[in-house]
Amino acid sequence: MHLEGSCHCQAVRFSVEANAPYPFNLCYCSICRKTAGTGGFAINLGAKTDTLSIEGSEFIRTYHARMPDGSRSSAERKFCGECGTALWLWSPEYPDMLHPHAGAIDTPLPVPPERTHFMLGSKPEWVTVAASDKDKCFAEYPDEALDAWHERLGLQDS
Ligand SMILES: [Zn+2]
Ligand SMILES: [Zn+2]
């Protein structure tokens, strides 16, 4: 699925082909919460790095998350240096995959039939998990990759 995205101030616009466009994957880790989700989580999509096209790349800044031991994550969290919008996550360990933040996407996204809530062990008490009976919940990482979720539900070519 072709996705168009942008930051709030429009200094950065991008497009990418998503193999996993359903916004079902809710991450409650502290990094996502603080950098990309004040409601308690961020939603990561799955797209192909080699299809990424960017306008305004000079405005993009990169955050390497500070880890509990003081080291820095190798993953690159891209955001607009003008308005602070979280754009996407990219990790050198999985260079072919790009994870756009659903919140930065302007293309209407398909509505997920079920959702995955993960890193719930990191969520603060005040964040209420709105999980339906069909949703899956994990204290840490989920047991299913973005692609596998789409394949199981027959949604891989949308
Ligand atoms: Zn911006
Ligand atoms: Zn996270």
Side-chain angles (χ1 to χ4, degrees), residues 108-120:
L109 294 171
V111 178
E114 60 176 70
R115 302 190 293 170
T116 297
H117 306 259
F118 68 102
M119 298 301 285
L120 289 171

Side-chain angles (χ1 to χ4, degrees), residues 27 29 32 77:
C27 183
C29 82
C32 286
R77 288 175 178 267

Side-chain angles (χ1 to χ4, degrees), residues 31-46:
I31 310 169
C32 286
R33 184 176 75 249
K34 294 206 172 197
T35 64
T38 59
F41 56 83
I43 303 181
N44 307 302
L45 308 174

Side-chain angles (χ1 to χ4, degrees), residues 10 15 24 30 37-38 43 54 70 74 97 105 109 123 128 137 139:
Q10 300 294 301
S15 68
F24 77 94
S30 65
T38 59
I43 303 181
I54 304 169
S74 60
M97 280 198 307
I105 301 300
L109 294 171
K123 95 173 177 55
T128 303
C137 295

Side-chain angles (χ1 to χ4, degrees), residues 61-146:
R61 295 184 59 190
T62 303
Y63 176 54
H64 290 277
R66 184 183 186 281
M67 306 313 280
D69 66 1
S71 69
R72 291 289 180 149
S73 166
S74 60
E76 300 183 358
R77 288 175 178 267
K78 299 290 187 181
F79 64 99
C80 174
E82 295 289 303
C83 69
T85 298
L87 298 167
W88 63 79
L89 174 71
W90 178 84
S91 173
E93 283 83 16
Y94 306 96
D96 297 343
M97 280 198 307
L98 184 87
H99 297 294
H101 284 292
I105 301 300
D106 298 311
T107 304
L109 294 171
V111 178
E114 60 176 70
R115 302 190 293 170
T116 297
H117 306 259
F118 68 102
M119 298 301 285
L120 289 171
S122 301
K123 95 173 177 55
E125 201 69 22
W126 63 265
V127 175
T128 303
V129 179
S132 77
D133 292 346
K134 284 188 283 184
D135 290 3
K136 293 187 174 157
C137 295
F138 299 90
E140 296 183 338
Y141 289 104
D143 64 359
E144 195 172 42
L146 288 161

